[in-house]
Amino acid sequence: MSEQADNPCLTCGACCMSFRVSFYWAEAPARGLADAMVEQVTPHIACMAGTNNAAPRCVALGTGQDGPYACGVYPQRPEPCRELQPGDDKCRRARYLHGMPPLSC
Ligand code: SF4
Ligand code: SF4
């Protein structure tokens, strides 16, 4: 998820409510993510807490100052969140799952 004042992500958040956001466990302490934000999946893989649920929703979504669909740990967000870009395939899939049209960008 990207985060700029004119970014559609700030009124969306669909990708943070659609997929398991998993990464190598050591990324969490390396980025300074609080333990409460992370769930262990396997001995080597962790994920953002809440994203391994049947109805995924990252616990960090909406916990910051920028509204209910903004990432509350944006500077510490893990690599999958950095890779996903507005308008890419995962964005389109997430928005579809939440009844939103693809971005026109
Ligand atoms: S689904 Fe796309 S538009 Fe929505 S928050 Fe994620 S990257 Fe942004
Ligand atoms: S860490 Fe932030 S960008 Fe990544 S899934 Fe959670 S709320 Fe979304």
Side-chain angles (χ1 to χ4, degrees):
M1 182 170 118
S2 178
E3 198 141 335
Q4 301 163 2
D6 59 350
N7 196 305
C9 298
L10 294 177
T11 55
C12 176
C15 56
C16 312
M17 299 184 285
S18 298
F19 313 115
R20 189 177 81 187
V21 179
S22 53
F23 45 86
Y24 182 57
W25 71 271
E27 187 179 345
R31 293 198 186 277
L33 277 165
D35 289 348
M37 292 288 168
V38 179
E39 291 176 11
Q40 205 70 27
V41 179
T42 73
H44 298 292
I45 300 297
C47 72
M48 289 304 296
T51 67
N52 201 27
N53 296 346
R57 183 186 173 97
C58 180
V59 294
L61 185 62
T63 59
Q65 303 296 313
D66 296 320
Y69 300 111
C71 177
V73 295
Y74 192 70
Q76 291 87 34
R77 72 200 188 286
E79 192 61 27
C81 310
R82 296 168 189 266
E83 290 175 356
L84 201 156
Q85 294 295 314
D88 72 10
D89 285 348
K90 286 190 91 170
C91 169
R92 292 168 68 92
R93 187 147 43 102
R95 287 177 63 90
Y96 175 79
L97 288 170
H98 289 273
M100 288 182 274
L103 296 178
S104 54
C105 62

